[in-house]
């Protein structure tokens, strides 16, 4: 079985499947994708995500605020914890740092609509503290912010709880440093892109027991679906790419990344389908 460890189910376009979200999930289940982690990018997303989770036994959710999401005032640690508890989140995120739009032309002031470095760091710190106090893993978006991301991880996370650097596009050294601090690295459809050789090298060289797979749907559809809205079914293409790079079977990638998912997102295991829980029990993961 496969797990889509990061998808934005509330942002899928129903027109893609001619009906509704259920059709997208059914298409994924037909390819043996058996678990979905639906990601919040703002706390205001949580009621809709919770509705999706209640309607589908194989969907669990996170609670967090994306670094580029504009808010009048960053939620407090207490507010983040309350939201996560109220809606049954299994992780905090996606949170993190994204300095891509804060390049050399904007060293001190953010462009309109983009939170400054200081705002992003404080918001990220609060979410890391909330995750630590709840003993939940964190889902981290990091882009062109290597040093600050790693510094905050070292300061505010427990390696025994850890988290994941999702849709990873940075270098192997950063990935290895995150792994040393108890984190997983998640690869998306980007690994299949023609110009992503450095990511394919990372897929070959990182330990398989530290990798996750995701779609980040509806974004970043893998080859051969580029240019289309991404969907959870296509996490299989990510697994196939990793398997090809490592010279192993897709089944081995599926089995290990699934085990990794439940080892990291421990609160998701009791919510898994009954046959999946039984398999997890046999594997000593629950």
């Amino acid at each position: 079985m496969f797990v889509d460890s990061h998808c934005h189910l509330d942002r899928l376009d129903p027109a893609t499947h001619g009906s509704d979200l259920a059709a997208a999930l059914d298409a994924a289940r037909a390819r043996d994708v058996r678990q979905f982690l639906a990601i919040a990018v703002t706390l205001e997303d949580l009621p809709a995500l919770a509705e999706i989770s209640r309607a589908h036994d194989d969907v669990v959710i996170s609670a967090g605020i994306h670094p580029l999401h504009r808010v009048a005032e960053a939620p407090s640690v207490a507010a983040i914890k309350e939201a996560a508890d109220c809606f049954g989140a299994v992780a905090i995120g996606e949170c993190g740092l994204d300095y891509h739009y804060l390049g050399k032309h904007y060293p001190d002031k953010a462009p309109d609509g983009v939170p400054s470095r200081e705002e992003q760091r404080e918001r990220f710190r609060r979410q890391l503290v909330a995750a630590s106090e709840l003993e939940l893993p964190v889902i981290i978006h990091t882009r062109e912010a290597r040093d600050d991301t790693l510094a905050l991880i070292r300061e505010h996370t427990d390696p025994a709880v850890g988290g994941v650097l999702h849709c990873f596009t940075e270098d192997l050294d950063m990935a290895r440093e995150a792994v040393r601090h108890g984190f997983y690295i998640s690869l998306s459809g980007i690994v299949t892109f023609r110009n992503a050789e450095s990511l394919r090298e990372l897929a070959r060289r990182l330990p398989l027991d530290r990798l996750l797979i995701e779609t980040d749907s509806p974004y970043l559809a893998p080859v051969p679906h580029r240019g289309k809205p991404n969907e959870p079914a296509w996490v299989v293409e990510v697994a196939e790419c990793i398997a090809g790079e490592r010279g192993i079977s897709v089944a081995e990638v599926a089995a290990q990344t699934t085990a990794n998912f439940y080892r990291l997102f421990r609160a998701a295991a009791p919510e898994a389908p009954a046959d999946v829980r039984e398999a997890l029990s046999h594997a000593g993961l629950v």
Side-chain angles (χ1 to χ4, degrees), residues 37-40 42-56 59-64 78-93 134 136 267-268 271:
L37 176 48
I39 304 298
T42 171
L43 297 185
E44 288 73 25
D45 290 346
L46 289 173
L49 287 174
E51 283 294 322
I52 293 172
S53 182
R54 281 192 288 268
H56 302 280
V59 175
V60 291
I61 68 172
S62 71
I80 297 163
K81 290 171 62 178
E82 182 180 4
D85 275 338
C86 179
F87 292 101
V90 303
I92 299 297
L134 290 170
L136 290 177
E271 306 300 325

Side-chain angles (χ1 to χ4, degrees), residues 220-234:
L220 303 172
V223 174
H225 307 291
R226 286 198 72 180
K228 301 177 183 177
N230 202 359
E231 53 186 274
W234 296 341

Side-chain angles (χ1 to χ4, degrees), residues 4-112:
D4 187 352
S5 69
H6 192 110
C7 48
H8 298 279
L9 297 184
D10 56 337
R11 285 165 166 72
L12 294 185
D13 182 1
T16 302
H17 295 274
S19 55
D20 56 17
L21 172 64
L25 294 176
D26 283 344
R29 294 173 188 130
R31 301 188 74 187
D32 204 25
V33 185
R34 302 290 305 283
Q35 183 78 70
F36 310 86
L37 176 48
I39 304 298
V41 297
T42 171
L43 297 185
E44 288 73 25
D45 290 346
L46 289 173
L49 287 174
E51 283 294 322
I52 293 172
S53 182
R54 281 192 288 268
H56 302 280
D57 291 344
D58 48 7
V59 175
V60 291
I61 68 172
S62 71
I65 307 100
H66 191 284
L68 295 180
H69 180 70
R70 195 63 161 168
V71 293
E73 184 176 351
S76 66
V77 172
I80 297 163
K81 290 171 62 178
E82 182 180 4
D85 275 338
C86 179
F87 292 101
V90 303
I92 299 297
E94 72 185 271
C95 56
L97 302 172
D98 190 325
Y99 294 169
H100 178 71
Y101 300 102
L102 303 171
K104 61 183 179 180
H105 300 297
Y106 303 96
D108 301 311
K109 181 181 178 182
D112 288 345

Side-chain angles (χ1 to χ4, degrees), residues 74 77 83 92 130 147 153 187 203 230 286:
V77 172
I92 299 297
D147 291 345
I153 284 174
L187 298 178
N230 202 359
V286 294

Side-chain angles (χ1 to χ4, degrees), residues 235-251:
V235 75
V236 177
E237 276 76 355
V238 179
E240 288 173 344
C241 179
I242 295 171
E245 291 299 320
R246 298 182 75 97
I248 60 179
S249 70
V250 177

